[in-house]
Amino acid sequence: MANGHEPHEARRASDRGRYGRLSRERVLAAALELVDREGLSALSMRRLGTELGVEAMALYRYASSKDSLLDGLVEALYLELEERLAADTVEDPDWRAGLHRIARATYAVCLTHPQAVPLLSTRLLAVPLARRPAAVLRDHERVLSLLRGAGFDDAAASRVFRAFTAWLLGYVSVELRPTVDNADETDPAFRLGLHRLSAKELPTLRETAAALAERGGPEGLAAGLDALLDGFTNGSASAASG
């Protein structure tokens, strides 16, 4: 590698593609569009270069590796979250309303880009706090500032932060799990593949499968979040009343 950073070929490869000269924003937007359309397994430097009309090596100026590109997709999701929050001009009356607003916007981003959602867990499991994309760190700051402003001390704020993040990402992950076994089937039982589930060993799951196939939506997200936050605030002296 030249200068210990990027391949010599990357310096020579032209970054002027079919959409004009590349930028990091354009590269990440194209990567996210590809993942939205075909899934994470379709993403590679070569395939992305083809999408943009450049040699794959030209992309290394904007993402130094496949992992860097995946981290860039996480960044793109959180930048979209920021855009949604900025467009929502309703004032938050208290910290709980602020958390609900963040949760709704995150949910909306995830449902817009379901194929990229696994990265919110897998990449953040691999990247230390200080090395996470700036947009991710700003989201952490946003949530913690709400909690500190509500009167939570550092220890309590960190507990609520962890619980809020776990509920939000966990809810979205369960919401996006596929339940349809055969989309061409019109009969609900065969559509869900209930004939594949043992009536003897899994009777409750079979009976509940149709309900599980329905998304909980923003209403389920909000109800669970309220129940979670109630557990931290009822009878607690660590937080202001909001």
Side-chain angles (χ1 to χ4, degrees), residues 96 100 103-104 167 171 216-229:
R96 288 181 64 136
H100 273 279
R104 286 194 306 272
W167 167 250
Y171 183 87
E219 298 79 13
L221 175 67
L225 181 54
D226 274 331
L228 178 74
L229 297 179

Side-chain angles (χ1 to χ4, degrees), residues 132 139-141 143-144 147 156-166 232:
R132 293 172 192 169
D139 181 68
H140 297 347
E141 177 74 14
V143 174
L144 289 168
L147 298 173
S158 67
R159 288 194 294 270
V160 180
F161 174 84
R162 291 190 190 99
F164 171 76
T165 303
F232 283 99

Side-chain angles (χ1 to χ4, degrees), residues 101-162:
R101 188 166 72 97
I102 293 170
R104 286 194 306 272
T106 304
Y107 178 84
V109 170
C110 289
L111 262 65
T112 302
H113 306 287
Q115 299 280 9
V117 167
L119 294 175
L120 299 181
S121 297
T122 58
R123 287 311 305 161
L124 293 184
L125 284 173
V127 180
L129 174 66
R131 295 181 181 272
R132 293 172 192 169
V136 176
L137 297 177
R138 288 194 295 270
D139 181 68
H140 297 347
E141 177 74 14
R142 187 179 301 116
V143 174
L144 289 168
S145 293
L146 282 171
L147 298 173
R148 287 290 299 275
F152 289 92
D153 61 24
D154 288 352
S158 67
R159 288 194 294 270
V160 180
F161 174 84
R162 291 190 190 99

Side-chain angles (χ1 to χ4, degrees), residues 13-33:
S14 172
D15 67 351
R16 183 172 291 281
R18 65 171 58 97
Y19 306 112
R21 188 169 295 280
L22 297 184
S23 65
R24 178 173 170 79
E25 291 74 19
R26 181 167 290 169
V27 168
L28 294 182
L32 187 56
E33 288 174 7

Side-chain angles (χ1 to χ4, degrees), residues 8-220:
H8 183 58
E9 292 84 358
R11 298 203 333 268
R12 292 204 310 261
S14 172
D15 67 351
R16 183 172 291 281
R18 65 171 58 97
Y19 306 112
R21 188 169 295 280
L22 297 184
S23 65
R24 178 173 170 79
E25 291 74 19
R26 181 167 290 169
V27 168
L28 294 182
L32 187 56
E33 288 174 7
L34 176 58
V35 170
D36 285 344
R37 192 170 67 245
E38 301 183 31
L40 283 167
S41 62
L43 182 63
S44 69
M45 291 299 201
R46 184 181 298 275
R47 179 63 191 281
L48 184 56
T50 299
E51 290 281 313
L52 290 164
V54 299
E55 296 178 35
M57 282 298 177
L59 300 177
Y60 285 91
R61 299 169 184 167
Y62 309 98
S64 60
S65 65
K66 176 70 176 291
D67 282 346
S68 177
L69 182 59
L70 295 177
D71 291 340
L73 290 181
V74 173
E75 178 185 1
L77 294 178
Y78 277 89
L79 286 172
E80 184 170 324
L81 169 62
E82 289 184 342
E83 291 174 1
R84 288 178 180 270
L85 291 174
D88 184 356
T89 58
V90 177
E91 289 284 334
D92 297 323
D94 56 42
W95 64 276
R96 288 181 64 136
L99 291 181
H100 273 279
R101 188 166 72 97
I102 293 170
R104 286 194 306 272
T106 304
Y107 178 84
V109 170
C110 289
L111 262 65
T112 302
H113 306 287
Q115 299 280 9
V117 167
L119 294 175
L120 299 181
S121 297
T122 58
R123 287 311 305 161
L124 293 184
L125 284 173
V127 180
L129 174 66
R131 295 181 181 272
R132 293 172 192 169
V136 176
L137 297 177
R138 288 194 295 270
D139 181 68
H140 297 347
E141 177 74 14
R142 187 179 301 116
V143 174
L144 289 168
S145 293
L146 282 171
L147 298 173
R148 287 290 299 275
F152 289 92
D153 61 24
D154 288 352
S158 67
R159 288 194 294 270
V160 180
F161 174 84
R162 291 190 190 99
F164 171 76
T165 303
W167 167 250
L168 178 54
L169 296 184
Y171 183 87
V172 169
S173 295
V174 172
E175 193 86 328
L176 293 177
R177 287 179 180 177
T179 54
V180 173
D181 181 61
N182 189 341
D184 295 329
E185 286 285 356
T186 56
D187 182 279
F190 284 101
R191 184 177 175 82
L192 294 176
L194 298 189
H195 58 290
R196 303 181 187 280
L197 304 179
S198 168
K200 181 179 180 179
E201 296 180 358
L202 306 168
T204 307
L205 180 59
R206 281 173 58 98
E207 293 171 4
T208 314
L212 289 175
E214 298 293 328
R215 285 182 173 169
E219 298 79 13

